[in-house]
Amino acid sequence: MSMIKHKLIFVAGARPNFMKVAPLLEELRHYGSFESVFVHTGQHYDSKLSACFFQDLNLPEPDYFLGVGSGSHAQQTAEIMKRFEPVLTAERPDCVIVVGDVNSTMAAAVVASKLQIPVVHVEAGLRSFDRSMPEEINRIITDAVSDILLVTEESGRQNLLREGVSADRIHLVGNLMIDSLHRSLDAAQQSNIMRRLGAAPRSFGLVTLHRPANVDHSEQLNEILDAIIEISQSLPLFFPVHPRTQAQLAGYPRMSDRVVLLDPLGYVDFLCLMSNSAVVLTDSGGVQEETTALRIPCITLRNNTERPITIEQGTNILAGTHKSTILAAWHEIQEHPKSGRIPDFWDGTTASRCAAVLQKFFTLRSTLSQTPERSGKSASESAAVLAI
Ligand code: UD1
Ligand code: UDP
């Protein structure tokens, strides 16, 4: 008797998505009951923000490449929606899996939801409570239309409950990005990037910056760069520059040769540098989590974070975005370094917990569809009774 296969469409589009889809795609290959289709929206398209991760993360070639490219939020979101809808009508999947908080996440979730295809959101429930951040809008919309909400930390569950999401649809599974980190640590130790840069362990810091609020206006960017230059006088810094930041940096008049500017790095090389650094200064969401998992001190160049567990339990501190507050944070971590603890379920086995939730969802759906009086249940109703 042939087994029924459930067709899942995975959507990724931007750099931080690849680390989140890779472990789950790999995990599901071991199950006979799932068929995965991988869609790359093309939100990120430069090799250093996209193609270079495929080898590092052992990702399969995408089944669909939508090639949407850059644009305003409305243009990019609309283009993803227009190009994703025909994929769904052709493939007729049993569910769509979206990850994180980028425009591709939100656009794909809305399209699937309107076609009444169940949506699974990986990294649901995170909230910065700052709606000037485009990702916050994406998180709220994606969660509102998702049927299964997979959360990385308890704050995610609490935020969703407060927004009225039924507890049965929320699953604390842990952090898929940390699965990727575990799988790549050996490769990171083999990387020759330290030798290429002439760097010794713990003798340098690492910087990443790409949030629009920090880099789009030179006044704000210069404030942060002034702090970075001052810190570099005591600790040399490596700074792989995101393309959004690249153009703005050219106008900065005081760059120091103790801040080494690099192109964006591949995942394994970046992980090698991060795990050997004395401190990381960043506005990245994923890097706040990875430093907590690696127990490397992290200074977050923002006024808030949607990942409070990295502060409550991890090595992260919020530094704000003024030169004086960043320097105060720098002195604080030298006087009182946080060793932190690794949050529950950030243990490298999140993919298997996600797979178990998916299996339960489909088992329940097929039971419901075979029970005459309940066969009219919608996807979200099935998700809501997952815990039964
Ligand atoms: C996007 C996500 C952000 C995520 C970040 C990860 C949204 C709203 N933002 O921000 O949440 O943290 O990715 O890196 O989804 N560009 C290139 N090459 C590329 C892609 C972009 O040069 O391959 C340049 C273009 O000038 C583009 C700009 O970067 O206009 C911004 O790209 P975009 O995808 O709109 O946003 P990110 O800042 O990358
Ligand atoms: N990263 C990378 N190379 C770099 C900078 C970051 O591989 O030069 C990785 C990092 O380890 C993490 C992910 O990219 O896994 C985070 O992506 P990003 O900071 O672009 O997005 P965010 O997490 O802020 O949405």
Side-chain angles (χ1 to χ4, degrees), residues 164-286:
V165 177
S166 152
D168 304 341
R169 293 207 255 145
I170 309 168
H171 303 269
L172 177 55
V173 289
N175 196 323
L176 278 177
M177 204 171 214
I178 306 306
D179 281 21
S180 280
L181 182 142
H182 278 244
R183 288 165 200 213
S184 300
L185 270 179
D186 283 347
Q189 271 159 18
Q190 309 296 317
S191 159
N192 64 10
I193 181 112
M194 299 274 289
R195 187 165 48 75
R196 281 188 278 140
L197 294 173
R202 313 281 166 240
S203 68
F204 62 90
L206 184 61
V207 180
T208 82
L209 268 184
H210 71 277
R211 298 258 89 87
N214 280 343
V215 306
D216 282 1
H217 304 287
S218 57
E219 208 172 299
Q220 175 57 66
L221 179 61
N222 291 356
E223 181 87 16
I224 294 175
L225 291 175
D226 284 350
I228 285 173
I229 298 295
E230 190 155 328
I231 292 169
S232 76
Q233 298 314 307
S234 5
L235 187 73
L237 300 171
F238 292 113
F239 183 179
V241 184
H242 189 283
R244 180 184 276 281
T245 316
Q246 185 75 54
Q248 300 287 346
L249 264 187
Y252 182 72
R254 297 179 282 279
M255 195 45 79
S256 152
D257 59 6
R258 289 178 64 85
V259 179
V260 179
L261 302 180
L262 305 169
D263 281 341
L265 293 170
Y267 179 65
V268 166
D269 285 345
F270 186 78
L271 192 50
C272 177
L273 280 190
M274 188 163 43
S275 57
N276 281 295
S277 61
V279 61
V280 176
L281 296 117
T282 191
D283 61 9
S284 159

Side-chain angles (χ1 to χ4, degrees), residues 16-277:
N17 295 160
F18 302 118
M19 302 75 186
K20 296 167 196 168
V21 295
L24 189 51
L25 272 168
E26 190 179 315
E27 176 76 18
L28 295 179
R29 272 185 226 131
H30 306 303
Y31 294 69
S33 53
F34 295 114
E35 175 193 352
S36 297
V37 175
F38 180 23
V39 176
H40 185 328
T41 66
Q43 176 174 345
H44 283 176
Y45 42 86
D46 281 354
S47 145
K48 289 185 169 126
L49 289 187
S50 170
C52 77
F53 297 108
F54 279 67
Q55 197 179 351
D56 279 1
L57 293 163
N58 196 24
L59 271 169
E61 283 298 306
D63 298 287
Y64 292 87
F65 183 73
L66 306 183
V68 299
S70 303
S72 71
H73 283 274
Q75 284 164 345
Q76 188 175 61
T77 305
E79 211 51 57
I80 298 165
M81 288 179 162
K82 278 160 64 183
R83 297 184 194 199
F84 187 51
E85 188 176 51
V87 175
L88 291 185
T89 37
E91 291 283 349
R92 303 171 61 84
D94 296 296
C95 89
V96 169
I97 300 180
V98 296
V99 299
D101 56 14
V102 303
N103 285 348
S104 300
T105 314
M106 182 271 282
V110 169
V111 173
S113 169
K114 289 199 169 178
L115 291 173
Q116 297 186 33
I117 298 166
V119 178
V120 178
H121 185 202
V122 170
E123 202 184 273
L126 296 182
R127 297 287 181 269
S128 65
F129 304 102
D130 172 4
R131 290 200 185 193
S132 69
M133 199 182 179
E135 294 81 2
E136 184 74 352
I137 311 287
N138 290 341
R139 293 180 198 119
I140 292 166
I141 295 172
T142 305
D143 287 340
V145 299
S146 290
D147 298 286
I148 301 180
L149 299 110
L150 303 179
V151 305
T152 51
E153 59 170 270
E154 182 57 25
S155 76
R157 187 208 299 275
Q158 295 304 328
N159 293 332
L160 293 168
L161 289 173
R162 206 178 319 107
E163 289 171 19
V165 177
S166 152
D168 304 341
R169 293 207 255 145
I170 309 168
H171 303 269
L172 177 55
V173 289
N175 196 323
L176 278 177
M177 204 171 214
I178 306 306
D179 281 21
S180 280
L181 182 142
H182 278 244
R183 288 165 200 213
S184 300
L185 270 179
D186 283 347
Q189 271 159 18
Q190 309 296 317
S191 159
N192 64 10
I193 181 112
M194 299 274 289
R195 187 165 48 75
R196 281 188 278 140
L197 294 173
R202 313 281 166 240
S203 68
F204 62 90
L206 184 61
V207 180
T208 82
L209 268 184
H210 71 277
R211 298 258 89 87
N214 280 343
V215 306
D216 282 1
H217 304 287
S218 57
E219 208 172 299
Q220 175 57 66
L221 179 61
N222 291 356
E223 181 87 16
I224 294 175
L225 291 175
D226 284 350
I228 285 173
I229 298 295
E230 190 155 328
I231 292 169
S232 76
Q233 298 314 307
S234 5
L235 187 73
L237 300 171
F238 292 113
F239 183 179
V241 184
H242 189 283
R244 180 184 276 281
T245 316
Q246 185 75 54
Q248 300 287 346
L249 264 187
Y252 182 72
R254 297 179 282 279
M255 195 45 79
S256 152
D257 59 6
R258 289 178 64 85
V259 179
V260 179
L261 302 180
L262 305 169
D263 281 341
L265 293 170
Y267 179 65
V268 166
D269 285 345
F270 186 78
L271 192 50
C272 177
L273 280 190
M274 188 163 43
S275 57
N276 281 295
S277 61

Side-chain angles (χ1 to χ4, degrees), residues 278-294:
V279 61
V280 176
L281 296 117
T282 191
D283 61 9
S284 159
V287 173
Q288 290 174 61
E289 298 183 335
E290 290 166 339
T291 45
T292 276
L294 292 166

Side-chain angles (χ1 to χ4, degrees), residues 280-345:
V280 176
L281 296 117
T282 191
D283 61 9
S284 159
V287 173
Q288 290 174 61
E289 298 183 335
E290 290 166 339
T291 45
T292 276
L294 292 166
R295 301 174 95 167
I296 301 287
C298 180
I299 296 177
T300 291
L301 307 171
R302 287 175 49 186
N303 295 314
N304 52 53
T305 179
E306 60 288 334
R307 293 156 159 94
I309 204 167
T310 60
I311 294 179
E312 291 153 11
Q313 298 188 14
T315 49
N316 192 14
I317 60 172
L318 274 186
T321 57
H322 294 293
K323 180 179 178 185
S324 60
T325 58
I326 297 167
L327 292 176
W330 162 244
H331 294 306
E332 168 72 18
I333 64 149
Q334 287 175 96
E335 283 158 29
H336 307 287
K338 288 171 84 178
S339 57
R341 72 177 285 274
I342 296 173
D344 291 345
F345 305 125

Side-chain angles (χ1 to χ4, degrees), residues 340-386:
R341 72 177 285 274
I342 296 173
D344 291 345
F345 305 125
W346 291 25
D347 57 0
T349 66
T350 292
S352 68
R353 285 187 287 274
C354 296
V357 172
L358 290 170
Q359 269 199 316
K360 203 169 165 191
F361 173 69
F362 285 113
T363 306
L364 188 69
R365 283 197 95 198
S366 66
T367 313
L368 290 172
S369 67
Q370 283 158 24
T371 313
E373 67 274 21
R374 301 183 76 178
S375 59
K377 285 225 172 264
S378 69
S380 55
E381 284 173 312
S382 304
V385 287
L386 244 185

